[in-house]
Amino acid sequence: MQEMQISRFDIEKSEDHCPTGLISVLFNLTHQCNLACKYCIMAMPELKQGYQESQATMNVDLVRETVDYIYRAGLPGMNVTFYGGEPLLKFDLLQEAVEYAEQKYPGFFVYNVITNATLLTAKMAAFFQKHRVRFLFSVDGDKAANDRLRVFKNSDDSVYDRAWGNIQQLLGQLPELEYKVNVTYFRPTLDLERAFVSLLAQGVPETRFERGLAPANSPYFVRQEDVERIKEAFSAIAEQYLEHLIAGGSHVVDNFVVLLRKISRQTPRLRGCNMGIDYVTIAADGRVYPCHKLVGHEDFCMGDVRSGTNNERYREFWQHRVDQRDSCSACEVRFLCGGFCICDNYFHNHDFFAPTRENCAIIKHNIKLALRLFTELEQRAPLALKRLLGADYLLETEVPVMSQFLQRPDERMVRQMETGGEYELNLTAVYILNQVAIHLK
């Protein structure tokens, strides 16, 4: 079953066109933070100057210029994610950005906030509700695990207690709030099964587990000898997750669900991400970088929001498909992995396209788990797969429906509205599409 699922990916029958516009932006309002997390990515030697030492914060003019830049470079439905530092330190600037965007470009943007949740207040709820803001809360599992490495700068209070108290208060005001929790794990916090159980008990709708970036000589760096423990943790999570879904649960574990979507769609993942192409990060000084993991690196700066940007270098990066890399081309799961995070590769190997061995081992294991989850659910609870994947999984009684798209007149190119991706249709598909268009008229 596993080999069949993987081998059915076929990239020879379709063209691979580079995206033509932004669909996601990480918007750094400030590089300041109220926490002093022991593992902070901003403390990485290569990132420290760009984040921690600069302590940059936008002003109102730069906030507006940034919104204008994103609109010019973006596609409708643009995801804007406010980041930092801690963005809620500058809630006034966050309000300014959203209100300016909605006044000048109504309905163009979708808003997200990545936050440690310790600065959430009841007074913010009405604003978040009005603009349908979605959240990614940074909470590393239960209280013991979270507070082991996440600490306040100027207080001995529990970060976990403060964050969850604020989250629960916000959910009390906005029970429909869309949110997920990100668990960043390091060598001292590898009990991922306990984190999963804790978050599931809290009623969290969606979780994501992410290996943290740390220097190789750091006590927090996840080493090769730690990989087996991580694999065992994900295996335990997968077992519990399977039973949760079969019992009617709806929790989303990103690490598995992203893979389940790929398995169901039978479409190859040719690269880990499209950084610098349809996704960029805007630093608090207005400079634009392909990824938040490269902020402050002058070699990777793409320009700034005032003078404009150039992504030609990253269009070349984009050409490095996983099936064309010496280190990945023979891997049986390459089209599900896509080569994983190339910035992690850069930090660990000084090469964007040389895979990180710890990441490789973990993602390969999770792919096997996802294949088993898919098989078990399809056999035992296909309705659970349908609940989880929606239109990406068809029951036997269903037929496909057409995606929202834009077609260029008299051309074979279409743009998928949800993702911004462009695709070239064969002549049969063009004929069918045109007949549908005539019928709809």
Side-chain angles (χ1 to χ4, degrees), residues 72 97 246 265 278 321 329 336 399:
R72 292 193 303 271
I246 289 175
R265 288 176 179 175
D278 60 19
R321 298 187 338 190
S329 60
L336 283 169
V399 294

Side-chain angles (χ1 to χ4, degrees), residues 133-152:
V133 176
R134 302 178 301 197
F135 283 87
L136 177 63
F137 296 123
S138 298
V139 181
D140 296 340
D142 63 6
K143 180 174 180 177
N146 185 83
D147 288 353
R148 187 169 297 137
L149 300 180
R150 297 177 68 81
V151 296
F152 286 108

Side-chain angles (χ1 to χ4, degrees), residues 156-212:
D156 293 328
D157 292 349
S158 165
V159 171
Y160 180 90
D161 287 346
R162 181 85 59 83
W164 268 112
N166 291 343
I167 293 169
Q168 295 300 336
Q169 182 182 54
L170 186 63
L171 289 172
Q173 296 174 276
L174 306 176
E176 74 285 359
L177 184 75
E178 290 187 51
Y179 75 99
K180 68 172 73 172
V181 168
N182 186 78
V183 176
T184 306
Y185 62 88
F186 293 87
R187 200 163 200 228
T189 55
L190 294 182
D191 195 345
L192 305 185
E193 181 185 4
R194 189 174 72 180
F196 173 71
V197 170
S198 172
L199 295 172
L200 200 62
Q202 289 274 22
V204 173
E206 186 168 351
T207 55
R208 183 176 76 185
F209 296 89
E210 181 179 14
R211 179 194 176 194

Side-chain angles (χ1 to χ4, degrees), residues 386-399:
K386 184 63 183 177
R387 285 197 308 272
L388 197 63
L389 303 182
D392 288 327
Y393 177 74
L394 294 179
L395 299 169
E396 291 183 357
T397 55
E398 292 184 294
V399 294

Side-chain angles (χ1 to χ4, degrees), residues 275-277 290 300 302 311-318:
M275 75 168 194
I277 304 296
F300 303 118
M302 300 169 60
N311 73 350
E312 284 305 308
R313 180 181 189 182
Y314 301 102
R315 295 181 74 85
E316 294 176 7
F317 273 38
W318 190 88

